[in-house]
């Protein structure tokens, strides 16, 4: 009885499936669901020794999770960049901004736009060259200092009259435009909009 198992000639590019090498998709012992609790506790302990309990709690509030890794470098904005090659590709690099020592409105003190250009490529796996090396090799005297997104600065946000942070009342500024009035009707029916006393329903034409 002839075997139904396929045969592969010598020197052929084709190989049986069981002979194909298996390429690991992630390091051994890695789980994509959570990070090791021991690392999180160790990191929290390090942050507590570094700046105190309030500092460590704010770091946890800021990052949502605490990870252990090798410090690769620091940029001019105070962001520190870490790498842990024992986790999956795509999650092995991250940065930690400065910890704001405040209990409220923490998000106004840090923003992803604070990552400097020389570190952007390394952080997003575009290249494996750290930021300080990129700056030393490709930096030019005419390059300007990196500026973060100005919208993070809430003190510079637009606060028109009537805004709760603006003491100037909105006032009656009149109609937005002059509407067409049909023949025989009075133009007095046109109401003003944006009343500062809010005694009437706001009407935006």
């Amino acid at each position: 009885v002839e075997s139904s198992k396929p045969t592969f000639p010598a020197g052929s590019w084709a190989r049986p499936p069981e002979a194909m090498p298996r390429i690991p998709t992630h390091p051994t012992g890695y789980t994509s669901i959570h990070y090791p609790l021991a690392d999180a506790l160790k990191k929290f302990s390090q942050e507590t020794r570094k700046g105190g309990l309030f500092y460590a709690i704010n770091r946890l509030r800021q990052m949502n999770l605490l990870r252990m890794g090798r410090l690769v470098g620091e940029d001019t904005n105070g962001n520190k960049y870490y790498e842990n090659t024992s986790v999956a590709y795509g999650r092995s690099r991250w940065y930690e901004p400065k910890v704001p020592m405040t209990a409220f409105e923490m998000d106004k003190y840090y923003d992803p736009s604070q990552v400097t250009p020389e570190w952007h490529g390394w952080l997003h796996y575009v290249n494996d060259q750290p930021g300080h090396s990129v700056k030393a090799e490709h930096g030019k005297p005419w390059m300007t200092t990196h500026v973060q997104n100005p919208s993070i600065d809430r003190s510079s946000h637009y606060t028109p009259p009537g805004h709760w942070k603006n003491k100037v009342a909105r006032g009656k500024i009149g109609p937005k435009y002059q509407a067409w009035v049909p023949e025989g009707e009075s133009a007095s029916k046109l109401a003003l909009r944006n009343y500062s006393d809010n005694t009437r329903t706001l009407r935006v034409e």
Side-chain angles (χ1 to χ4, degrees):
V1 180
E2 294 184 359
S3 173
S4 59
K5 186 176 181 179
T7 58
F8 297 89
S12 172
W13 60 268
R15 290 187 294 174
E18 58 270 19
M20 297 294 291
R22 180 181 179 276
I23 301 177
T25 56
H26 55 75
T28 306
Y30 172 78
T31 129
S32 60
I33 301 176
H34 63 275
Y35 290 89
L37 178 61
D39 284 0
L41 294 176
K42 185 177 180 181
K43 179 70 173 181
F44 188 84
S45 177
Q46 287 182 356
E47 298 292 347
T48 303
R49 291 195 300 269
K50 179 180 179 180
L53 181 60
F54 185 68
Y55 180 91
I57 293 175
N58 271 10
R59 172 67 79 189
L60 180 59
R61 291 173 58 200
Q62 181 187 58
M63 302 299 295
N64 294 329
L65 56 89
L66 299 176
R67 294 186 278 180
M68 293 295 298
R70 176 180 63 90
L71 177 62
V72 179
E74 184 177 354
D75 64 16
T76 54
N77 290 329
N79 300 315
K80 295 184 177 180
Y81 298 83
Y82 294 87
E83 184 175 25
N84 186 350
T85 55
S86 65
V87 301
Y89 180 83
R91 300 189 181 189
S92 59
R93 297 175 181 177
W94 71 94
Y95 83 100
E96 296 180 358
K98 291 181 179 179
V99 177
M101 300 301 289
T102 178
F104 304 101
E105 296 185 335
M106 286 182 57
D107 58 316
K108 72 178 184 180
Y109 294 100
Y110 57 91
D111 186 80
S113 66
Q114 293 175 340
V115 174
T116 54
E118 63 267 16
W119 280 98
H120 185 273
W122 179 88
L123 185 63
H124 293 86
Y125 302 90
V126 177
N127 56 61
D128 295 327
Q129 194 173 5
H132 50 78
S133 176
V134 172
K135 190 173 184 179
E137 182 178 350
H138 303 286
K140 303 296 180 183
W142 44 262
M143 289 184 175
T144 58
T145 305
H146 173 68
V147 180
Q148 67 182 18
N149 188 339
S151 63
I152 189 178
D153 184 9
R154 298 183 181 181
S155 62
S156 62
H157 288 183
Y158 175 61
T159 54
H163 191 277
W164 69 278
K165 286 187 176 181
N166 193 336
K167 296 180 181 180
V168 180
R170 286 177 294 182
K172 299 180 180 182
I173 61 175
K176 190 175 182 179
Y177 56 86
Q178 183 177 3
W180 172 76
V181 181
E183 186 178 355
E185 294 190 15
S186 174
S188 61
K189 294 196 307 181
L190 295 176
L192 299 178
R193 69 185 186 97
N194 292 350
Y195 289 85
S196 60
D197 55 4
N198 290 328
T199 57
R200 298 179 59 179
T201 304
L202 298 181
R203 175 181 174 184
V204 180
E205 291 81 2

